[in-house]
Amino acid sequence: MAQTNNATLIRREIITRLCRLFVEGRLEDIDRIAIEMAPRNSQPGGSRCCIHKARAIIKYRIMALLGFNVSDETDELESLYSYALRALSSKAPVNGVLTVVDEACTSCVKSNYVVSNLCRGCLASHCMVTCPKNAITMDNGQAKIDPLKCVGCGLCKEACPYHAIIYMPIPCEESCPVKAIYRNAEGVEQIDYEKCIHCGRCMVACPFGAVMYKSQIINVLHRISKADKPVIAMLAPAVCGQFRASYGQVVTAVKKLGFADVFEVAEGAVMTAQHEAAELAHVLENGQQFLTTSCCPAYVELTEKQLPQLKPFVSSTPSPMRYTAELVRQKYPDATVVFIGPCVAKQAEARKYPGVDYVMTFEELGSLMIALNVDLQSFESDEAGEIWPERRFAASSGVLDSVAAYYQGPALKPLVVSGLHKKNIASLRRLATGKHDWNMVEVMACEGGCLSGPGGVSSPDVARKLFNAQSGTIVEQAVN
Amino acid sequence: MPEMIEVQICYGTLCFVMGGSAFELIGEKLPDDIKNSVLVKGMNCPGYCNTQDNGKPPFVLVNGKLVAEANLNKLIACIREEVANGTNK
């Protein structure tokens, strides 16, 4: 789902600037970033009204990147430097992973149905007659919808013989599979953390970049700069596919950034696959109808918040991140452990599990490389690393293939659910009823698997191409 | 045989992260009318990003001419222009 559009690139530019200030010991200049990016007499980008608005938006983006919810602001005059110091002295608030930059949210439309100027103001007025809520009036020879009365049923659109009424989607709401993002009384989008599964779809969908993930990068940089304990990076299997570089080049670069050592999460994925295979054989022999994977944190969150009926079928095997963290702790007991992946939801998983201290995205890793002038192309590609077949965990059906490789038990009837969109969630709801033959179900929130994660560097098609070239494993096409 | 148009993509990490990753698919995305007249190459970071005078990344050279804030559509337009210039000579 990662896309390289202007909203993404601005986020990367801000992350880069933030990292650079920290590394250069100039964090007190953090409030200047907005002025540098939107200087006096410059043109605000997109449809922003003025540079002051553009600066305000940049400020709140940085607030999110410091780990705060934009909605947590109590004093509008609190400087970003103050937020930065708060982020470094204690952990930032832990409710939710995604936050809405309300200044950037344009409150797309008040109602999903809009009367276009194709309206002829006809005598029959089918729209008015059809509307069950009396939300439509004739105003100056054209129909007009009162957004306060409109319930979005769409009957007026169907009724209009001129096709003059159009459906205007609200991209974030449209993309959210669990109705967790909604317009508040002011018409600004808000995230309900009781419902949100941190899949990141709204962030990718918003054309104004108004949804941000809360970053922990400043905390990671702080740990590295203290140099009292080793800071260890764990690279998710989707790392092959992120950069135009070999795995060895990426490892060299990550060490240049200050990480003391690098572990590949595909190593932990071997243990996940082995344990899950044993668990699958055990539960099937004991009469349970099916088992689902548990490595996708957005899916696990879904079963906890939205589909409790599916929860008993979710594997209790720890995710590759957790097994890898155990390997790290065996070698470096006092380490600060940082998971780096394409995933937004992983931060929520890490909070529940004390073995992992911080989570970064690949996008942040790339931005940090830029900030420190680390160029992957400049490194020799000698350290190939062990080629774990479990790198395929990054691609849809890869987890299933790995579990099947270790599995001994009743015949497998596997199902792959690729992408937690509304339709697949409805399928999962049916799955829980048990009226089917499947006995092993792999679920990934992102279409095509982690390679399409919202925190990736490249778009899914590029990531897949690079992954196939770099991972050393053959990955089947995604099952949709 | 017509002159090949040389497209040199900066493979530096900065350009790649700031949008250059899209050029990984340039082979698949070039339209039929030009794809056989283009020679796509990579280059290590020549340092265009060191000064703001060159504009924003990603940087690509089309027949030696610098294209800043490059994207696939922009490159296709530049390549077509080069093709047209070549035939006018």
Side-chain angles (χ1 to χ4, degrees):
Chain A
M1 289 195 292
Q3 293 172 336
T4 41
N5 56 41
N6 286 337
T8 319
L9 297 181
I10 286 173
R11 188 171 66 227
R12 290 178 192 175
E13 185 180 345
I14 299 176
I15 298 170
T16 303
R17 285 173 180 268
L18 176 63
C19 293
R20 201 174 278 146
L21 285 183
F22 187 94
V23 174
E24 291 173 358
R26 296 193 294 125
L27 199 55
E28 64 274 14
D29 286 344
I30 189 170
D31 289 276
R32 293 183 182 279
I33 293 178
I35 299 172
E36 285 169 8
M37 288 183 69
R40 191 183 286 267
N41 297 329
S42 65
Q43 288 295 317
S47 63
R48 310 287 189 217
C49 55
C50 62
I51 55 166
H52 307 291
K53 175 94 170 172
R55 287 175 184 171
I57 292 170
I58 294 168
K59 176 193 167 174
Y60 290 112
R61 287 191 196 288
I62 299 173
M63 192 176 158
L65 292 176
L66 293 171
F68 292 86
N69 285 323
V70 176
S71 53
D72 288 341
E73 181 187 63
T74 51
D75 175 9
E76 275 191 62
L77 282 181
E78 180 165 2
S79 67
L80 287 172
Y81 186 51
S82 161
Y83 280 114
L85 293 180
R86 274 165 63 184
L88 294 178
S89 62
S90 62
K91 286 200 170 177
V94 289
N95 49 342
V97 177
L98 295 157
T99 181
V100 178
V101 179
D102 53 356
E103 288 275 354
C105 176
T106 61
S107 332
C108 300
V109 280
K110 291 193 174 70
S111 147
N112 281 131
Y113 289 91
V114 181
V115 182
S116 73
N117 59 8
L118 293 176
C119 172
R120 308 282 302 270
C122 66
L123 185 64
S125 303
H126 297 287
C127 55
M128 272 174 76
V129 178
T130 315
C131 177
K133 296 288 172 190
N134 288 326
I136 303 181
T137 50
M138 279 296 165
D139 182 24
N140 227 348
Q142 285 208 322
K144 194 178 163 190
I145 299 174
D146 180 351
L148 293 176
K149 288 184 183 166
C150 175
V151 290
C153 68
L155 289 174
C156 56
K157 176 177 175 278
E158 301 301 318
C160 176
Y162 294 109
H163 294 210
I165 297 177
I166 53 164
Y167 175 73
M168 283 264 292
I170 297 174
C172 61
E173 291 183 15
E174 199 87 0
S175 71
C176 178
V178 292
K179 294 194 168 105
I181 190 159
Y182 64 99
R183 277 157 292 170
N184 63 17
E186 285 79 47
V188 173
E189 295 295 329
Q190 201 171 329
I191 296 170
D192 181 349
Y193 295 125
E194 299 290 308
K195 290 182 180 168
C196 177
I197 59 170
H198 325 298
C199 66
R201 280 170 190 267
C202 55
M203 180 183 96
V204 177
C206 176
F208 285 90
V211 185
M212 298 273 295
Y213 59 84
K214 299 195 288 177
S215 171
Q216 302 182 315
I217 192 156
I218 193 168
N219 304 86
V220 174
L221 293 174
H222 182 59
R223 296 306 321 167
I224 290 176
S225 70
K226 283 201 110 178
D228 52 350
K229 294 175 191 169
V231 182
I232 310 297
M234 304 193 296
L235 298 176
V239 63
C240 301
Q242 296 305 317
F243 299 102
R244 187 172 229 295
S246 69
Y247 179 71
Q249 284 173 306
V250 176
V251 170
T252 309
V254 172
K255 287 180 180 170
K256 283 258 185 236
L257 299 175
F259 291 92
D261 203 352
V262 180
F263 282 64
E264 198 178 344
V265 176
E267 193 177 350
V270 179
M271 293 151 86
T272 298
Q274 289 169 342
H275 283 91
E276 205 152 285
E279 182 187 358
L280 176 62
H282 178 78
V283 300
L284 293 184
E285 277 156 12
N286 284 286
Q288 185 176 314
Q289 191 188 349
F290 68 100
L291 187 75
T292 83
T293 53
S294 62
C295 45
C296 172
Y299 164 63
V300 173
E301 201 85 7
L302 176 83
T303 63
E304 278 162 12
K305 289 177 173 170
Q306 312 273 342
L307 290 176
Q309 62 271 46
L310 207 53
K311 182 84 188 129
F313 299 100
V314 178
S315 162
S316 59
T317 299
S319 68
M321 173 176 84
R322 289 176 52 180
Y323 277 122
T324 311
E326 284 176 18
L327 294 173
V328 173
R329 301 258 173 221
Q330 283 164 20
K331 195 169 170 190
Y332 304 98
D334 62 341
T336 299
V337 180
V338 183
F339 174 90
I340 307 176
C343 187
V344 168
K346 220 66 183 168
Q347 207 185 110
E349 182 190 340
R351 278 185 206 146
K352 293 181 200 160
Y353 169 68
V356 178
D357 297 293
Y358 298 109
V359 171
M360 271 171 68
T361 62
F362 284 130
E363 167 183 275
E364 290 174 304
L365 179 65
S367 304
L368 183 56
M369 286 182 197
I370 297 174
L372 290 171
N373 293 322
V374 170
D375 187 17
L376 287 159
Q377 295 289 312
S378 66
F379 304 126
E380 292 293 323
S381 181
D382 49 349
E383 199 182 333
E386 177 123 17
I387 298 175
W388 306 100
E390 274 63 25
R391 280 180 182 171
R392 64 189 166 197
F393 264 60
S396 182
S397 88
V399 182
L400 208 54
D401 292 345
S402 290
V403 171
Y406 297 108
Y407 173 76
Q408 286 176 314
L412 270 191
K413 289 169 201 147
L415 173 70
V416 172
V417 178
S418 171
L420 284 182
H421 45 71
K422 287 169 193 162
K423 202 175 142 208
N424 273 348
I425 288 181
S427 305
L428 286 173
R429 194 166 279 127
R430 284 197 299 279
L431 195 79
T433 63
K435 290 173 190 152
H436 56 83
D437 289 334
W438 316 114
N439 58 13
M440 180 64 198
V441 184
E442 177 199 286
V443 189
M444 297 221 191
C446 297
E447 281 88 342
C450 314
L451 283 172
S452 312
V457 170
S458 320
S459 62
D461 44 356
V462 171
R464 179 163 295 274
K465 185 176 178 188
L466 291 172
F467 181 81
N468 288 344
Q470 296 168 7
S471 64
T473 59
I474 300 153
V475 177
E476 302 285 325
Q477 277 297 310
V479 183
N480 283 313
Chain B
M1 171 144 174
E3 286 263 315
M4 293 295 271
I5 313 245
E6 194 180 65
V7 173
Q8 285 173 281
I9 295 162
C10 176
Y11 281 163
T13 301
L14 185 147
C15 278
F16 187 89
V17 172
M18 295 309 284
S21 61
F23 305 134
E24 292 300 310
L25 297 172
I26 191 166
E28 291 94 314
K29 296 276 172 79
L30 282 181
D32 287 346
D33 62 317
I34 52 172
K35 73 176 174 198
N36 292 324
S37 41
V38 176
L39 188 66
V40 179
K41 290 180 176 177
M43 57 181 170
N44 288 336
C45 174
Y48 295 123
C49 49
N50 290 336
T51 160
Q52 292 195 346
D53 300 344
N54 289 321
K56 286 187 163 187
F59 296 104
V60 177
L61 292 174
V62 177
N63 268 357
K65 291 175 195 156
L66 184 64
V67 183
E69 269 185 274
N71 58 43
L72 279 171
N73 285 337
K74 214 167 170 178
L75 287 188
I76 290 167
C78 289
I79 293 165
R80 287 216 171 103
E81 203 171 295
E82 287 297 309
V83 171
N85 288 343
T87 49
N88 288 343
K89 269 176 200 165

